[in-house]
Amino acid sequence: MSGAPVRGDGPGLLRAIESRLPGLRLLVDEGDREAYRRDETAYLPAGLPLAVALPVETAQVVALVRLCGEFDVPIVPRGAGTGLSGAAAGIEGALTIAFTRMDRILEIDGENLTVTTQPGIINARLKAAVGERGLFYAPDPASYEQCTIGGNLGTNAGGLCCVKYGVTRDAVLGLEVVMADGTLLRLGGKNVKDVAGYGLIPLLVGSQGTLGIVTEATLRLRPAPPPRSTLIAFFPSLDAAGRAVAGLTAAGLGPVTLELMDRYTIRAVDEVHRLGLDREAAAMLLVESDLPGTAAVAEMDAAVPVCEESGATSVIRAQDPQEADWLRQGRRLAYRALEHLGVARMEDVGVPRSRIPEMLAEIEAIAVRNRIAVGTFGHAGDGNLHPTFVLDRDEGDPAVVRLDAARGELYEAALRLGGTVTGEHGIGVARRDWLVRQRGPEAVEVMRSIKRALDPRDLFNPGRML
Amino acid sequence: MSGAPVRGDGPGLLRAIESRLPGLRLLVDEGDREAYRRDETAYLPAGLPLAVALPVETAQVVALVRLCGEFDVPIVPRGAGTGLSGAAAGIEGALTIAFTRMDRILEIDGENLTVTTQPGIINARLKAAVGERGLFYAPDPASYEQCTIGGNLGTNAGGLCCVKYGVTRDAVLGLEVVMADGTLLRLGGKNVKDVAGYGLIPLLVGSQGTLGIVTEATLRLRPAPPPRSTLIAFFPSLDAAGRAVAGLTAAGLGPVTLELMDRYTIRAVDEVHRLGLDREAAAMLLVESDLPGTAAVAEMDAAVPVCEESGATSVIRAQDPQEADWLRQGRRLAYRALEHLGVARMEDVGVPRSRIPEMLAEIEAIAVRNRIAVGTFGHAGDGNLHPTFVLDRDEGDPAVVRLDAARGELYEAALRLGGTVTGEHGIGVARRDWLVRQRGPEAVEVMRSIKRALDPRDLFNPGRML
């Protein structure tokens, strides 16, 4: 990618940053910049940043945006780089602003159930800090021990418990945002309900750094729910597991977690972590309740016969929180376990819940047709699946050709079933060609007109999403 | 208002509609049009529509938007006219499109927990239709027996149970929208999670018909929760009631309803409906739980001591669903009861929950200072209060002067406490001067740039909100 065209006056920008922001940490060595080239999306080409700025305060971000505008150098905002769409990967010759040092919690407000934080904080650290106060921040991407809140805001991240508590967008009450002309906006605050003007917050959340750069967020908390009641169930077919998911909904249950893993993933996890999972099962469901008092156990009591009537070969209930955590970890470690088997490219399709069995059958057929191993796991409760293609490390280009074919068929299948090419990871670069296919040219033109209105010079993350 | 300037070629538009849409019901008689001049906002001047169109299908709406563009006649979209911000009131010489005949439910999908509907359906009728299938549509504005889903979408309406289940925006999965150039967009669908592109749906919801006109919506349902466990508690001071609200949060309770009424409102309701409320109490709270099994009763068991420790003089628990419904009706009828006492102008301020006691004190002082009676009720659980000024029917203009002064002080107080001038009713016309005060000129300019991008000729509801 070193030969890609580069926009703006990079050397002029670097000189200006050094003279006007002498206290700012700025990485310019090639080795350092190389570390910010990629995110976690396998097989995705990415550019080398001109430099990487690591601001510690909002004023530095405002100054950087203004200078980049002056020198016409694009900006890539970045959190921990755990993204799976390429939205935070480098753009050749652009300035990457990494928020990992803007990681302070500014206020935990127990009375109003809010936390105000800088964006670079790691999701798990925020959870732990509010947890010490008996409070709970719900969104929990599987990468929550690595990913930042800023990245979560960029992609509108989901996670394992969003089937009950909603996605990142639902948790945002206030934002401080630097716009492309350097204007600093403070939007919202601590009001749970507020309809004064357009919903700029939900527009900015999920825009992958293309409309504004978040420098502070006020997030909604809940009282910490009680310990969960947890079960896992093994099924002889994907179809049986799909029937169980539908049955849980039909029974009126509202679990906090309703996750699925297929046989390939079960085996990968068990191989690495030796959890004693049923390796012969075609699918496993993880079901959890966090209702208060005896209601959690009652909800799991009601889930057991639903699983059994759907054909479960075994149902295991955690006897205590330690055992529950252990079962849960199996699901959380799915992606890492698959990475032990080769290069893992995780996808993120979503379908209306009732179409999950069909989508699972499509995924299996696509993998066979394209001769690629696939492990599928994901959020069965909200129809969001992560088929993860696993490729031989040594195969090289022929594998990529097959991968691209398989990805195309995967997206086609999801759209045919009324679904989406991305449930929670984002369009980014990786799925950019598919946005028009899914949304239609008219809707994408509306998005483009908003981008032009808010960032007319295409300074923020150009070429991403739209 | 008959002398207000009128834009576009109205007579030309009417001739074109009559020739090109012969099947469309179009009201042109002055008496008929007069019925669409106002919404429910007291003391708000409004214009007489040029005509009122009552389409029955999307294609008619698209044709109307294109014709209005051609003849440069603005459009006011309207539901049942129960709004309290003037957003659906008439604009002199504009075409009002009333959606009350586009009221068909198109599909109830029990497997995917969605309902797809035309926008003109009344909220209560939608609730009843999905209820017959054991399903539940959560957003429940107090006017739910009159207001339409389309109006709810326009204002991002809240209601009594949104403290637990979220507001209208949180319930929208898909929209069909006519844009200002006549383009028909279909956004989203039945996917619970979907991050492909910008969040156009949450941007359109709450935009009060200024960015697009909704012709169909797919809304999220839940399994019908069990019957509620209900209590009401009376307090000797507003402060004591405020402490109880904070105490319920601190106790980790998550009631589905947490509503407040002040003494003036209690007396008005009891005068009209003879419910046997404690007329000497300074405040009443309505608290409800819809947790499954025994958890609802347990949650109310836990709420009782919190109320008592905060100073409640009496706590009454409903013994059965009929009694619960009867207690709940007291709160729902608050506004109508106040209307018995004079002309009621309902306001809609919100504050961070912890500031409720201060806001209540401010409201009382403002009423005294301006010599206007006020009854306050509202959604204490999410900080959204409806101080309702009650004016003598015969007083006329002097009352309006005092009302405007009181409203200004009310908004000032809400903003000083970190609140909003509107929690769920919208900016509309009534609070338009206050949008910049609350959001700041930069944020409003961002909103304006979005409006210009999506409706460059200002065809949709001009002069509203922005």
Side-chain angles (χ1 to χ4, degrees):
Chain A
M1 297 293 289
S2 55
V6 166
R7 190 178 117 190
D9 175 8
L13 173 68
L14 294 184
R15 283 192 301 273
I17 291 174
E18 278 162 15
S19 80
R20 293 195 230 170
L21 292 168
L24 176 75
R25 185 162 160 76
L26 188 73
L27 308 178
V28 292
D29 286 350
E30 186 165 343
D32 291 339
R33 292 184 285 138
E34 194 60 53
Y36 290 82
R37 183 194 284 270
R38 305 176 51 79
D39 68 359
E40 293 217 355
T41 320
Y43 296 111
L44 190 79
L48 185 65
L50 166 74
V52 179
L54 292 142
V56 294
E57 59 184 20
T58 296
Q60 290 177 324
V61 182
V62 171
L64 285 170
V65 169
R66 291 196 172 143
L67 288 173
C68 285
E70 210 173 295
F71 291 91
D72 193 35
V73 173
I75 293 172
V76 177
R78 181 181 173 108
T82 56
L84 290 158
S85 75
I91 292 177
E92 194 73 26
L95 180 73
T96 289
I97 304 182
F99 284 87
T100 40
R101 284 157 57 102
M102 276 181 75
D103 65 347
R104 280 185 304 125
I105 292 178
L106 304 172
E107 186 198 31
I108 299 172
D109 181 341
E111 282 187 291
N112 289 306
L113 299 178
T114 61
V115 57
T116 300
T117 184
Q118 290 187 314
I121 191 168
I122 289 170
N123 180 302
R125 200 157 78 72
L126 183 89
K127 271 188 202 301
V130 304
E132 282 173 20
R133 302 274 296 272
L135 302 170
F136 175 59
Y137 176 66
D140 61 343
S143 62
Y144 77 115
E145 290 173 312
Q146 292 87 41
C147 63
T148 67
I149 293 294
N152 296 173
L153 293 165
T155 55
N156 185 23
L160 275 71
C161 74
C162 64
V163 62
K164 177 163 181 175
Y165 292 118
V167 292
T168 300
R169 183 179 282 146
D170 302 312
V172 185
L173 296 178
L175 287 181
E176 182 187 75
V177 192
V178 186
M179 304 303 284
D181 62 358
T183 302
L184 186 67
L185 296 186
R186 289 193 71 91
L187 303 170
K190 293 181 180 178
N191 297 294
V192 179
K193 285 157 69 185
D194 186 347
V195 295
Y198 294 155
L200 297 183
I201 291 175
L203 175 65
L204 286 159
V205 174
S207 66
Q208 300 205 291
T210 63
L211 296 178
I213 297 181
V214 173
T215 48
E216 188 184 306
T218 297
L219 306 169
R220 190 173 185 167
L221 303 175
R222 299 165 187 274
R228 296 177 183 179
S229 185
T230 302
L231 70 76
I232 59 175
F234 293 95
F235 296 86
S237 68
L238 287 168
D239 214 48
R243 282 198 306 273
V245 170
L248 293 168
T249 299
L253 303 184
V256 66
T257 317
L258 181 42
E259 294 285 314
L260 177 136
M261 280 167 40
D262 72 354
R263 177 182 287 138
Y264 189 88
T265 310
I266 293 169
R267 289 181 178 180
V269 168
D270 206 55
E271 191 60 35
V272 179
H273 299 287
R274 305 281 167 187
L275 300 173
L277 305 178
D278 178 359
R279 297 191 184 197
E280 297 313 308
M284 184 191 103
L285 289 181
L286 168 71
V287 191
E288 298 190 287
S289 174
D290 66 353
L291 287 171
T294 56
V297 170
E299 190 162 48
M300 290 302 95
D301 286 348
V304 172
V306 172
C307 291
E308 288 173 347
E309 283 155 26
S310 305
T313 48
S314 63
V315 178
I316 300 165
R317 292 180 70 164
Q319 297 305 311
D320 54 52
Q322 285 70 33
E323 197 181 349
D325 199 50
W326 180 67
L327 297 177
R328 203 177 296 133
Q329 280 302 93
R331 163 61 188 89
R332 283 211 183 267
L333 296 166
Y335 176 48
R336 302 288 170 209
L338 291 170
E339 283 187 315
H340 277 79
L341 302 177
V343 183
R345 165 77 181 226
M346 200 202 297
E347 292 296 333
D348 178 44
V349 289
V351 289
R353 278 173 285 215
S354 67
R355 314 304 291 270
I356 290 177
E358 287 162 273
M359 189 70 226
L360 290 169
E362 291 274 8
I363 292 167
E364 289 210 315
I366 289 165
V368 169
R369 211 156 45 227
N370 292 283
R371 291 170 293 115
I372 307 185
V374 70
T376 298
F377 55 92
H379 317 297
D382 48 36
N384 183 200
L385 298 172
H386 297 309
T388 301
F389 296 109
V390 180
L391 292 102
D392 196 284
R393 275 183 219 292
D394 306 320
E395 200 190 349
D397 287 350
V400 178
V401 172
R402 297 204 320 280
L403 173 66
D404 285 346
R407 285 177 51 222
E409 292 175 28
L410 177 73
Y411 299 152
E412 291 275 11
L415 297 183
R416 203 162 51 235
L417 295 171
T420 174
V421 302
T422 178
E424 58 183 12
H425 294 172
I427 289 289
V429 185
R431 284 168 278 269
R432 197 179 160 209
D433 297 341
W434 287 82
L435 183 64
V436 171
R437 285 289 300 279
Q438 178 172 335
R439 295 294 183 207
E442 296 87 359
V444 173
E445 184 47 39
V446 170
M447 295 178 197
R448 284 187 196 282
S449 72
I450 292 171
K451 169 72 171 171
R452 282 192 299 269
L454 271 53
D455 180 15
R457 295 171 57 197
D458 208 11
L459 194 68
F460 286 168
N461 230 358
R464 267 76 197 261
M465 187 179 273
L466 295 179
Chain B
M1 296 291 290
S2 57
V6 165
R7 189 179 119 189
D9 175 9
L13 173 68
L14 294 184
R15 283 191 300 273
I17 292 174
E18 278 162 14
S19 81
R20 292 195 230 171
L21 293 167
L24 176 75
R25 185 161 160 78
L26 187 72
L27 308 178
V28 292
D29 286 352
E30 186 164 342
D32 291 338
R33 292 185 286 138
E34 194 59 53
Y36 290 83
R37 183 194 283 272
R38 307 177 49 80
D39 67 0
E40 293 217 355
T41 319
Y43 296 110
L44 190 79
L48 185 65
L50 165 74
V52 179
L54 293 141
V56 293
E57 59 184 20
T58 297
Q60 290 177 325
V61 181
V62 171
L64 285 169
V65 169
R66 292 197 171 142
L67 286 174
C68 285
E70 209 174 296
F71 291 91
D72 193 35
V73 173
I75 294 172
V76 177
R78 181 181 172 110
T82 56
L84 290 159
S85 74
I91 292 177
E92 194 72 26
L95 179 73
T96 289
I97 304 181
F99 284 87
T100 39
R101 285 158 56 101
M102 276 181 73
D103 65 346
R104 281 185 304 126
I105 292 177
L106 304 172
E107 184 199 32
I108 299 172
D109 180 343
E111 282 188 291
N112 289 306
L113 299 178
T114 61
V115 57
T116 300
T117 184
Q118 289 188 315
I121 190 166
I122 289 168
N123 180 302
R125 203 158 75 74
L126 184 89
K127 271 190 203 299
V130 304
E132 283 173 21
R133 301 274 296 271
L135 302 170
F136 175 58
Y137 176 67
D140 61 343
S143 61
Y144 78 115
E145 288 171 316
Q146 292 88 39
C147 63
T148 66
I149 292 294
N152 296 173
L153 293 167
T155 55
N156 186 22
L160 276 71
C161 74
C162 64
V163 63
K164 178 164 179 174
Y165 293 118
V167 293
T168 300
R169 184 178 281 146
D170 302 311
V172 186
L173 296 179
L175 288 181
E176 183 187 75
V177 192
V178 185
M179 304 303 285
D181 63 357
T183 302
L184 186 67
L185 297 186
R186 289 194 70 92
L187 303 170
K190 294 182 180 178
N191 297 295
V192 179
K193 286 157 67 186
D194 187 348
V195 294
Y198 294 156
L200 297 182
I201 290 174
L203 174 66
L204 287 160
V205 173
S207 65
Q208 299 203 293
T210 63
L211 296 179
I213 296 181
V214 173
T215 49
E216 189 185 306
T218 298
L219 306 169
R220 192 174 182 162
L221 304 175
R222 300 166 188 274
R228 296 176 183 181
S229 186
T230 301
L231 70 76
I232 59 175
F234 293 96
F235 296 86
S237 68
L238 287 168
D239 214 47
R243 283 198 305 274
V245 172
L248 293 169
T249 298
L253 303 184
V256 65
T257 316
L258 179 43
E259 294 286 314
L260 176 135
M261 280 168 38
D262 72 355
R263 177 183 285 135
Y264 189 87
T265 311
I266 293 169
R267 289 181 179 180
V269 168
D270 206 55
E271 191 60 34
V272 180
H273 300 286
R274 306 282 168 186
L275 299 174
L277 305 179
D278 177 359
R279 296 190 186 200
E280 298 312 309
M284 184 191 103
L285 289 180
L286 167 70
V287 192
E288 298 190 287
S289 175
D290 66 352
L291 287 171
T294 57
V297 171
E299 189 161 49
M300 290 302 94
D301 286 347
V304 172
V306 172
C307 291
E308 288 173 348
E309 282 155 28
S310 306
T313 49
S314 64
V315 178
I316 300 164
R317 293 179 70 163
Q319 298 305 310
D320 54 51
Q322 285 69 33
E323 198 181 348
D325 199 50
W326 178 68
L327 297 176
R328 202 178 297 133
Q329 280 302 95
R331 163 59 188 91
R332 283 209 183 269
L333 297 165
Y335 176 47
R336 302 288 168 209
L338 291 170
E339 283 187 316
H340 278 79
L341 302 178
V343 184
R345 165 78 180 223
M346 201 204 297
E347 292 296 332
D348 178 43
V349 289
V351 289
R353 278 173 286 215
S354 67
R355 314 305 290 270
I356 290 175
E358 287 162 273
M359 189 70 228
L360 290 168
E362 292 274 8
I363 293 166
E364 289 209 317
I366 289 164
V368 170
R369 208 155 49 226
N370 293 283
R371 293 171 290 116
I372 306 185
V374 70
T376 299
F377 55 92
H379 317 298
D382 49 36
N384 183 201
L385 298 172
H386 297 308
T388 302
F389 296 108
V390 180
L391 291 103
D392 196 283
R393 273 182 221 291
D394 307 319
E395 200 188 350
D397 287 349
V400 178
V401 172
R402 297 207 317 283
L403 174 66
D404 285 346
R407 284 177 51 221
E409 292 175 28
L410 178 72
Y411 300 153
E412 291 275 11
L415 296 183
R416 203 162 52 235
L417 295 171
T420 175
V421 302
T422 178
E424 58 183 13
H425 293 171
I427 289 289
V429 185
R431 285 169 277 269
R432 195 179 161 208
D433 297 342
W434 288 81
L435 182 64
V436 170
R437 286 288 301 281
Q438 178 172 335
R439 294 294 183 206
E442 296 87 358
V444 174
E445 183 46 39
V446 170
M447 294 177 197
R448 284 189 196 282
S449 72
I450 292 172
K451 170 72 171 171
R452 283 192 299 269
L454 270 51
D455 180 13
R457 295 172 55 197
D458 208 12
L459 193 68
F460 287 168
N461 231 356
R464 269 74 198 263
M465 186 179 272
L466 295 181

